[in-house]
Amino acid sequence: MYPGVHASAEPDKPAVLTARTGAVLTYGQLEERSVRLANRLRGAGLRPGDHLALLSDNDPRCLEVYWAALRSGLYITAVNSHLTPDEAAYIVRDCGARALIVSAALPEVATALVPRTPGVRVRLAYGGLPGHDDYEEALAGSSPRPPARQPRGADMLYSSGTTGRPKGIQPPLLGEDLTESASPLVTLFCALYGFDPSTVYL
């Protein structure tokens, strides 16, 4: 289920707990922040079927970016944080990313991507990096109101590249509204593993 379901029922319930810092991201915060980012991306001209790439360490904001993409009908590609600048740039270019969101915890690769990815039109960084707009400022300046329609986006995963360059796997977008039906994977996992609203994932 998308965060809005839980945000409506229990907005103060933790969605993410960060063990090393004790920081909490609630479902209400996840919903609002992902909506704000979705509106920022739409305001920048991204439309369903466009691509967004994410280069980050293990950070709760990854989930904000993920849900912003999914509720905007975008493809989202997570770029492996262990790649070299040239390897990461290849994936960003190959997936056709119009937006790139990076973490300042990976400054060398993130900064090196700027001249290597000229097709990117929107660059945001959480933590602050030269050549990028500030992620928190982008969210603060965007509307918290969900769009009237939220077409479901999808992950665009890349193979490991054992026989050459990594290859992107782009599933079709079906045009269904994120708020009207659960993801097929969520439905499957609920049936197989008994996932319910009290399930905790480590």
Side-chain angles (χ1 to χ4, degrees), residues 122-194:
V122 178
R123 296 181 191 274
L124 298 176
Y126 41 84
L129 278 177
H132 300 78
D133 291 333
D134 183 79
Y135 180 87
E136 295 299 333
E137 290 180 6
L139 266 60
S142 299
S143 171
R145 178 174 295 182
R149 188 168 182 280
Q150 301 181 73
R152 185 187 299 279
D155 300 272
M156 183 169 173
L157 304 177
Y158 272 74
S159 68
S160 61
T162 53
T163 57
R165 291 278 202 179
K167 298 167 184 66
I169 301 148
Q170 182 171 313
L173 296 179
L174 304 179
E176 60 189 5
D177 195 290
L178 181 76
T179 65
E180 295 175 357
S181 61
S183 157
L185 276 180
V186 170
T187 303
L188 176 64
F189 289 164
C190 287
L192 287 177
Y193 305 117

Side-chain angles (χ1 to χ4, degrees), residues 10 18 32-33 43 47-48 56-57 61-64 77 79 90 93 125 145 148 153 158 168 175:
E10 298 182 272
T18 306
E32 179 181 331
R33 289 170 65 81
R47 294 295 180 266
S56 180
D57 56 338
R61 286 169 288 198
C62 292
L63 292 174
E64 300 169 6
T77 293
V79 181
Y90 165 76
R93 292 193 305 266
R145 178 174 295 182
Y158 272 74

